[in-house]
Structure formats: C-alpha cells, structure tokens
Amino acid sequence: EDQVTQSPEALRLQEGESSSLNCSYTVSGLRGLFWYRQDPGKGPEFLFTLYSAGEEKEKERLKATLTKKESFLHITAPKPEDSATYLCAVQAGNYGGSQGNLIFGKGTKLSVKP
Amino acid sequence: SQTIHQWPATLVQPVGSPLSLECTVEGTSNPNLYWYRQAAGRGLQLLFYSVGIGQISSEVPQNLSASRPQDRQFILSSKKLLLSDSGFYLCAWSLRTMRNTIYFGEGSWLTVV
C-alpha cells in the first residue's frame, strides 16, 4: 500500500537552531515528491518538487533532498516566521489519469521561538 | 501569473441543508481542477478531479458531488449535509503535463451543526 510518513509530528526550535524534517514513503513508481508549507487556517503553499533520487532544491533557508526511500527538508538558521506545518506528498505512477491524487503525510508542525 | 479563488471562506450549515462551494482559476487555460478535504488529524484527501468541462471523476464515495460548468470554474455541492461532512475543503489546480505541481486555494471551513 502506498503511504507517506512524516516525522517528527511536532518540532520546536530556537531561532537559529538548524534541523531537518523527514518524509519516508513507499509508493509504486514515484512520479514526484512535493513539499508544501501550511499556515493555520490557510491552504498549502507549494515549496518544492523533487523527481529523482539525488535531486536537491533550495529556497531561502529551506533545502529539500530526495533518496529512493525518503526526503528531508533541511531548515538552516530558522526564524519565527518559518513556523508552520510542513506537508510532504508523493505522486505515484500508477494512478492513471488522476494526476492530482497526491498521497499526503500528516505533516510536521514546526515552531520556532525567538 | 495564475491565481485561484475559493469561497466562501467559512460557513456553518445545519444538517440536511444544501452546500455549494465555488472555485475559479485565473491566468491559465484548460487546467486540471481538484477538490480536496482536510480533516483534523488526517492528511489531505482527494475528493474529485476534472480534466475538462463536464468531466468529473470521484475518488471516494460520499455525500458530495462536483461540477465544472466552465473551463476555470469548479463547484462542490451537496443536497443534504451530514455531520461527517464538516472539514476544511480545498480547491486546487494544475497544468496538464506529466510533471505537474498542484496549487491550492485558501480553503473553506465547513461546520455542519
């Protein structure tokens, strides 16, 4: 069964304290892995898409990496405004025409204290 | 640039009442359109997707229906709401390419009382 597991469920950091969020997945033929940021009461905001193992992408203090079994979202020197829930999702290759059938993890809630 | 609008943002409806959530996308043509639901403590779940006007596919059996009357308009409906329909509903869109990113709207909070 295709599934996505994110860890930890919650992470509290001090401002400037770097860390990583994990997204492990089992899927039949990975088409793409997505990272989103979601603020309370808002829709998810797209961050990155990764397509193949070894791929890396960066945006400001965030860096996403991908292996054949998991993805990491590295946060370098976080600031309080980085506080949000970070969602990981995979798009499997066996979902026919339903390209939007992303399999989402439950997210990691990140809190960055000043 | 493309934008997605979804409304209403919040609504409280009694059990048995009808529902209509609307979503429009601007700045693109022929998008794929999606309705997701996010329940407390659960991941996002795809409810419906559409690859064109009048073309709707349902991913899960439920009390809801979707329609796409225009290319960039997507509507989520129910004739009679159930308590279990409460949740956060998200409209989303993507381009029609093999490698496509899903972009989400701001969401609609539905509370059925």
Side-chain angles (χ1 to χ4, degrees):
Chain A
E1 180 183 354
D2 298 337
Q3 65 179 29
V4 176
T5 303
Q6 291 187 247
S7 62
E9 291 185 9
L11 180 62
R12 293 186 178 184
L13 300 174
Q14 287 296 126
E15 184 172 3
E17 179 186 2
S18 301
S19 188
S20 297
L21 282 57
N22 177 262
C23 171
S24 62
Y25 63 90
T26 55
V27 65
S28 303
L30 180 70
R31 186 179 291 180
L33 185 140
F34 302 81
W35 282 99
Y36 291 87
R37 169 193 170 128
Q38 187 174 26
D39 292 305
K42 302 290 187 181
E45 175 189 348
F46 170 72
L47 294 174
F48 305 108
T49 308
L50 302 168
Y51 294 108
S52 56
E55 189 174 0
E56 298 182 352
K57 288 191 177 176
E58 290 188 63
K59 179 181 180 180
E60 297 180 353
R61 295 177 292 282
L62 300 177
K63 178 180 178 180
T65 62
L66 180 65
T67 72
K68 290 185 177 180
K69 294 184 178 180
E70 58 191 349
S71 175
F72 291 94
L73 184 64
H74 307 278
I75 303 177
T76 302
K79 298 181 178 181
E81 53 262 42
D82 294 322
S83 298
T85 295
Y86 290 85
L87 301 173
C88 172
V90 298
Q91 189 177 56
N94 62 343
Y95 275 98
S98 178
Q99 296 176 324
N101 201 357
L102 300 178
I103 304 166
F104 278 86
K106 294 183 179 181
T108 293
K109 185 175 182 180
L110 174 66
S111 299
V112 182
K113 302 298 182 183
Chain B
S1 63
Q2 299 87 1
T3 58
I4 179 169
H5 303 283
Q6 182 179 345
W7 70 94
T10 306
L11 67 166
V12 179
Q13 295 284 96
V15 170
S17 65
L19 170 73
S20 180
L21 300 178
E22 292 195 35
C23 170
T24 60
V25 178
E26 297 177 357
T28 187
S29 298
N30 303 315
N32 288 338
L33 296 174
Y34 313 90
W35 279 109
Y36 280 80
R37 177 167 58 199
Q38 187 173 33
R42 299 183 180 181
L44 277 77
Q45 181 184 37
L46 179 65
L47 301 177
F48 300 96
Y49 71 94
S50 172
V51 298
I53 296 174
Q55 300 180 63
I56 309 295
S57 297
S58 174
E59 288 295 311
V60 293
Q62 58 207 312
N63 183 43
L64 303 168
S65 63
S67 61
R68 184 170 178 174
Q70 300 181 39
D71 180 49
R72 291 172 292 172
Q73 183 185 22
F74 208 22
I75 298 172
L76 184 69
S77 304
S78 174
K79 292 182 178 179
K80 291 184 178 181
L81 284 169
L82 306 172
L83 287 173
S84 58
D85 292 323
S86 294
F88 191 45
Y89 289 84
L90 291 155
C91 182
W93 74 276
S94 71
L95 295 173
R96 291 188 189 178
T97 56
M98 280 298 293
R99 289 186 167 186
N100 55 349
T101 296
I102 311 296
Y103 298 95
F104 290 88
E106 286 297 295
S108 297
W109 283 100
L110 170 65
T111 303
V112 183
V113 296

